[in-house]
Every structure is written in structure tokens, then in C-alpha cells.
Amino acid sequence: LFDNSTKISLATPIYFGSNYIPKSVRAGLAKTPPFERKQSIRTYLTVDEENCRVFLNYLGTTETLNNAKFSSLLDDFSYIAEEWRIY
């Protein structure tokens, strides 16, 4: 939570490289994955070149977030992360 608890940010690594990020991974990041159409939340990817990692990120508001919606958000985010790891 940040910005006076009005926003929430989630991040998780979806790719761990040893010394580099292969071209195949970069090509996959540039494409629209088939599961993206099924997403109920908007996410984005960031690349940590120095540590050869790719992260899935979410940024949203807490305005209407209650316990049930938070649980659903975590479920959706986890599902999307797993799909990216498989993709």
C-alpha cells in the first residue's frame, strides 16, 4: 500500500535468468499471450536487466477493495503470474 493507503502494488518474478535473458524470453514478452484476453485485472511486465529477471506487476486503487475483492485480486494475480511462467 502507498499514497496514503489509496493504492496497492503487487509484483512477482515470472522469469529468473542466470546471466542473461534469452531472445526466446524477450520474444515472448513482446507478444500478446493467449491468456491475456481472459484477464480480469490489468497487469504489466518490467525487466530487471541487471539481475536477469522479469516481473509481473499490478497497480490499482484500494477505493472499493474489501476482503473478498482483495482475495479475488490475489487469486487473479497469482493465476496470471503462473500463466506467464508457463508461457
Side-chain angles (χ1 to χ4, degrees):
L1 294 174
F2 66 100
D3 203 12
N4 293 323
S5 296
T6 62
K7 295 181 183 165
I8 185 169
S9 175
L10 302 174
T12 189
I14 58 165
Y15 177 80
F16 300 91
S18 52
N19 293 321
Y20 68 102
I21 299 173
K23 288 181 183 180
S24 60
V25 172
R26 292 181 189 278
L29 298 176
K31 295 179 184 176
T32 301
F35 55 88
E36 188 172 90
R37 286 177 254 124
K38 299 176 187 176
Q39 288 186 11
S40 58
I41 60 173
R42 295 186 112 180
T43 58
Y44 61 97
L45 300 173
T46 54
V47 179
D48 178 0
E49 295 286 353
E50 186 175 321
N51 296 302
C52 303
R53 295 188 294 178
V54 178
F55 288 88
L56 178 70
N57 304 277
Y58 168 81
L59 179 61
T61 181
T62 60
E63 194 171 294
T64 61
L65 202 59
N66 58 28
N67 286 344
K69 288 181 180 179
F70 181 66
S71 178
S72 178
L73 170 64
L74 292 179
D75 287 343
D76 292 347
F77 186 76
S78 296
Y79 169 78
I80 295 165
E82 284 303 312
E83 289 296 310
W84 268 111
R85 290 180 185 120
I86 295 167
Y87 184 68

